[in-house]
Amino acid sequence: MTHIINPDSAPGEDILGRKAFAAQIVEGLGLFFGDRKESLVVGISGKWGSGKSTLLDYIQEDLEDRYKSSERPFKVIKFNSWGHTAEADLERSFLEKVLETVSKLNWKEKTSAANDKFKKYLGYLDYVKFAGHFHPVIKNMLEGAEEYRKKVNVVSLEEIKETANGRLEESGTRLYILIDDLDRLAPAEITALFRILKVNLNLSNTIFILAYDKQVIIQALEKEYGLDGEQYLEKIIQVDFHIPQISEAQMELLFFERLADFLKKVNVKFDAGAFRTVWRIHGLNEYFRSIRDLNRYFNNLVFSLPHVAGKVNLFDFLVLDAIKTFDAQTYHRLYDHITEVYRKGIWQRIAIDEPFIARYEKETTKALLGYLFVRQHSDDGNGNQKRFRDREYFERYFALGVPSKVSSFDLLENFFLKESSAQVVLAAALASGKLPELLGRLGEESLSGSHKLESLNVFSDFIEFFSSRSEPADLEEAILRMKAYFNLVRLFDDQHRATLAALAKLKLEKDRTDRTAFLFLHVLVRYVALLNLPKEVDSYIRLNADKLNENLLVYLHGHSIHQFHTLSTGSPNWVDNLFLIGLIEDDPEKYLAEFTERMSPKLIWFIVFHNLFVFKEGKPDGVIKSYLDLFFPTAVLSMVLRMIRETQAGQMREEQRQDLGYFENCIRQQRYSEPDQDQKK
């Protein structure tokens, strides 16, 4: 099988001294905590991508090493807060983790009575969890849960905590609870988690270790509570550690070590000294601010470079791949701009001028484009002069592929390898033309019998990949992507948690454009019957349809001005048409207000061609009356027809003007038809 490997640092490598830092933290906790029974809350603060999760792994590793030679029992609980979208779900999962761990401890007294309490309470938590799926009225769901609690004699939460504390003290067990990804939560979820921690911080013999970006947490607390977030945090966090920022020298060392190691594996010679000028002088270093930035870059490079090595200039390719990773918009525009210059016959072998580079926005990108197009370096240390700016070679930098021997089966197996990156595998499938096959395999319900997933990051990888690629050509292709996406839920042991994580990635914001999430959520709400969703997802969608529709409506309202501008002046596609349909269905008054204000011949043509025509043998053959009344009510239709009659040659393509002329004739002659099956769908 061909492996497409994610070149992240191997577990155990102490590339930034994090292992030594973890050992210092653990040793300090031992000295500080001593034989105290009270709980302790430790904070580990660091910026996004600074290696907080890695540090927690090293802390757990160090704890396990130290307790091997100790008679005192200990337990480590890792609680990943991300993926829980409601306070009740956060608390349920947190208590489940703690009680399941405590119930397995050995202690001197008889354990049957305590275990019976734990078992009943865990059963109660499960009841609440699943009742939330199947009961349509939250009030009745809570009443049912209370009935269940009384029926099976479930004790109160306070008594459960008292019993758990007794077991921890009696057994002498030290409990370490590591909580990661706090800063990936929404502000309301962050404050919900801190409320839960505040209630549960009185566990005996317990050390809580929280990893977060301090500034993100403070801002969330201030937004939700309207108080001094730093003071609030100080009341909870008793010991505060800060992950040192990666220095520029460390980042340079890491970059060149990883690059040299990777190039050695693919048998490519490399002149590090010559390339350092690109890093230091031409601004490549500005793209890299965290370990996560390094990982993103090398995740792309590990796939793309081996297939063009020797066919392009190595230095140019390394720079272009950085632009692709950190400024994808420029990367995709670049090809079109270069081919435009070439098509107009003004391509120069030596360079493209400064005005060409000035059209791009980001300063780092412009500096690197200057290197690619203006600098006169000759080769890349391999004697290769096939520069990106040369007409003869530039297309090679974009025409990447994978070996034909990589099958969809190979891609599927790579998708589930722990050392693989989901985004890299999806990119490999796209480049090899096998993405539909891979998505088809990922969407098979039987996959749950042979494969398992543990990391919820797969949903983030999936959405991020498609957000940076071309949109699906039609509804059928969109459904193929969505079936694969939601089928991944079946591969988790905790499908409830996976459902919440998958749907959390589709949450729309009023002031942030997210076409992939909009498309997925729109199809999910409108065409749920076509998706064959896992039971957990289907139950959630049906019970929360109003909430999801409300989220869609907020997004539609927030982006209507921009969307109508695109429809009138840009190059809209079928996804833009979904936006129109969604706005008409949810708020027809808003649609009419926006349409009449921004009405133009191009906008009218788009609506007519994509929604109102019936086609026969590829040509318009009548107008759908029911849709006509929906898009152009009587009062609006007269304005539409007047604008069509006043449209002059040159305002739009001639074939579009002819389409509008045919539309006007159909209205005059009342040539109406019924929608075909595809249009109904």
Side-chain angles (χ1 to χ4, degrees), residues 243-494:
I243 298 179
Q245 285 283 86
I246 301 174
S247 69
E248 291 187 7
Q250 285 177 315
M251 184 61 72
E252 180 176 336
L253 178 64
L254 286 170
F255 176 85
F256 280 92
E257 279 187 356
R258 289 185 66 170
L259 183 59
D261 181 60
F262 171 61
L263 294 177
K264 183 178 179 181
K265 289 177 181 177
V266 293
N267 296 316
V268 174
K269 294 180 181 179
F270 179 55
D271 184 348
F275 195 65
R276 284 184 194 276
T277 60
V278 183
W279 176 270
R280 295 175 180 174
I281 298 174
H282 297 289
L284 182 59
N285 61 325
E286 293 297 322
Y287 275 146
F288 297 87
R289 287 289 175 262
S290 69
I291 296 296
R292 191 160 283 146
D293 291 336
L294 283 176
N295 290 341
R296 284 180 61 200
Y297 178 72
F298 283 100
N299 281 346
N300 282 327
L301 196 67
V302 74
F303 161 71
S304 58
L305 179 61
H307 311 296
V308 294
K311 301 174 185 176
V312 297
N313 182 284
L314 176 62
F315 289 4
D316 282 7
F317 188 84
L318 294 175
V319 169
L320 186 64
D321 227 47
I323 295 173
K324 179 175 72 174
T325 302
F326 301 107
D327 190 359
Q329 185 178 8
T330 291
Y331 176 81
H332 292 300
R333 289 166 58 197
L334 196 58
Y335 179 82
D336 292 336
H337 289 168
I338 295 173
T339 51
E340 179 185 7
V341 172
Y342 171 55
R343 188 170 60 250
K344 291 179 178 178
I346 57 173
W347 180 271
Q348 298 293 321
R349 180 174 175 79
I350 55 170
I352 290 179
D353 57 13
E354 293 293 342
F356 178 92
I357 296 171
R359 70 173 70 184
Y360 299 99
E361 292 82 17
K362 293 187 177 181
E363 293 302 319
T364 299
T365 301
K366 286 197 284 190
L368 292 172
L369 289 176
Y371 169 81
L372 290 173
F373 290 119
V374 178
R375 291 288 297 173
Q376 298 296 317
H377 77 78
S378 56
D379 63 52
D380 55 3
N382 293 291
N384 192 328
Q385 299 184 31
K386 298 165 185 174
R387 295 292 311 275
F388 174 65
R389 66 184 180 212
D390 292 341
R391 171 180 167 179
E392 185 178 354
Y393 301 114
F394 91 93
E395 286 193 340
R396 293 187 185 182
Y397 290 79
F398 293 96
L400 304 180
V402 296
S404 58
K405 64 181 179 180
V406 176
S407 67
S408 60
F409 175 79
D410 289 333
L411 292 164
L412 181 71
E413 295 306 307
N414 272 283
F415 189 90
F416 292 103
L417 287 175
K418 286 187 177 181
E419 65 268 31
S420 290
S421 160
Q423 288 201 53
V424 172
V425 176
L426 289 168
L430 178 66
S432 65
K434 298 184 184 297
L435 184 59
E437 293 179 44
L438 175 61
L439 293 176
R441 287 180 177 272
L442 288 173
E444 292 174 0
E445 190 173 345
S446 60
L447 197 64
S448 60
S450 56
H451 295 79
K452 289 290 182 184
L453 285 170
E454 296 178 359
S455 174
L456 296 172
N457 290 339
V458 68
F459 298 112
S460 178
D461 286 347
F462 203 98
I463 293 298
E464 287 176 12
F465 171 80
F466 283 110
S467 294
S468 63
R469 264 68 181 184
S470 300
E471 291 172 345
D474 51 31
L475 179 61
E476 186 176 347
E477 186 178 337
I479 288 174
L480 180 66
R481 294 182 184 185
M482 293 186 66
K483 281 184 175 180
Y485 180 74
F486 284 109
N487 194 54
L488 298 177
V489 169
R490 290 190 172 100
L491 311 186
F492 286 86
D493 289 333
D494 188 343

Side-chain angles (χ1 to χ4, degrees), residues 493-660:
D493 289 333
D494 188 343
Q495 292 189 20
H496 173 72
R497 185 181 175 208
T499 296
L500 296 177
L503 291 169
K505 294 304 299 179
L506 304 184
K507 187 175 181 181
L508 296 168
E509 303 291 343
K510 183 178 180 180
D511 54 356
R512 181 171 63 88
T513 301
D514 191 340
R515 289 172 66 87
T516 297
F518 163 72
L519 172 60
F520 272 38
L521 193 58
H522 182 96
V523 173
L524 192 64
V525 171
R526 301 294 195 276
Y527 307 102
V528 63
L530 303 176
L531 296 175
N532 187 30
L533 295 170
K535 185 177 180 180
E536 286 272 357
V537 181
D538 189 70
S539 297
Y540 186 95
I541 297 304
R542 295 184 189 280
L543 290 173
N544 292 275
D546 290 343
K547 182 179 178 181
L548 296 173
N549 264 315
E550 183 181 348
N551 187 218
L552 266 177
L553 186 57
V554 169
Y555 183 83
L556 292 169
H557 276 211
H559 293 78
S560 59
I561 295 175
H562 170 76
Q563 195 65 46
F564 271 89
H565 178 75
T566 300
L567 289 163
S568 300
T569 62
S571 301
N573 60 19
W574 74 280
V575 178
D576 299 288
N577 198 45
L578 282 185
F579 188 99
L580 268 184
I581 293 170
L583 193 58
I584 287 175
E585 291 177 344
D586 288 328
D587 193 346
E589 291 184 3
K590 177 71 172 176
Y591 159 77
L592 288 175
E594 295 290 352
F595 173 78
T596 53
E597 184 176 345
R598 293 171 177 79
M599 185 170 56
S600 68
K602 285 185 178 180
L603 176 57
I604 294 170
W605 174 84
F606 181 86
I607 292 174
V608 168
F609 189 84
H610 290 279
N611 299 283
L612 306 187
F613 277 156
V614 171
F615 289 89
K616 185 176 181 179
E617 297 180 356
K619 295 182 179 180
D621 189 45
V623 172
I624 303 169
K625 183 66 168 67
S626 57
Y627 293 178
L628 174 68
D629 295 338
L630 189 66
F631 282 91
F632 300 148
T634 304
V636 174
L637 182 59
S638 58
M639 294 190 296
V640 167
L641 294 175
R642 183 167 61 251
M643 179 167 282
I644 290 174
R645 287 191 291 269
E646 294 173 355
T647 300
Q648 303 294 317
Q651 285 185 261
M652 58 197 313
R653 296 204 308 269
E654 185 57 32
E655 58 267 29
Q656 293 176 340
R657 205 162 71 93
Q658 290 174 6
D659 288 337
L660 291 183

Side-chain angles (χ1 to χ4, degrees), residues 176-214:
Y176 295 88
I177 301 178
L178 313 183
I179 303 179
D180 197 7
D181 284 338
L182 271 74
D183 44 20
R184 296 183 69 177
L185 299 174
E189 294 160 1
I190 290 172
T191 52
L193 182 60
F194 272 91
R195 282 195 296 271
I196 291 163
L197 288 175
K198 241 183 155 183
V199 172
N200 294 283
L201 287 178
N202 57 346
L203 283 173
S204 298
N205 291 344
T206 300
I207 298 179
F208 296 85
I209 303 178
L210 285 59
Y212 50 76
D213 182 329
K214 191 171 185 177

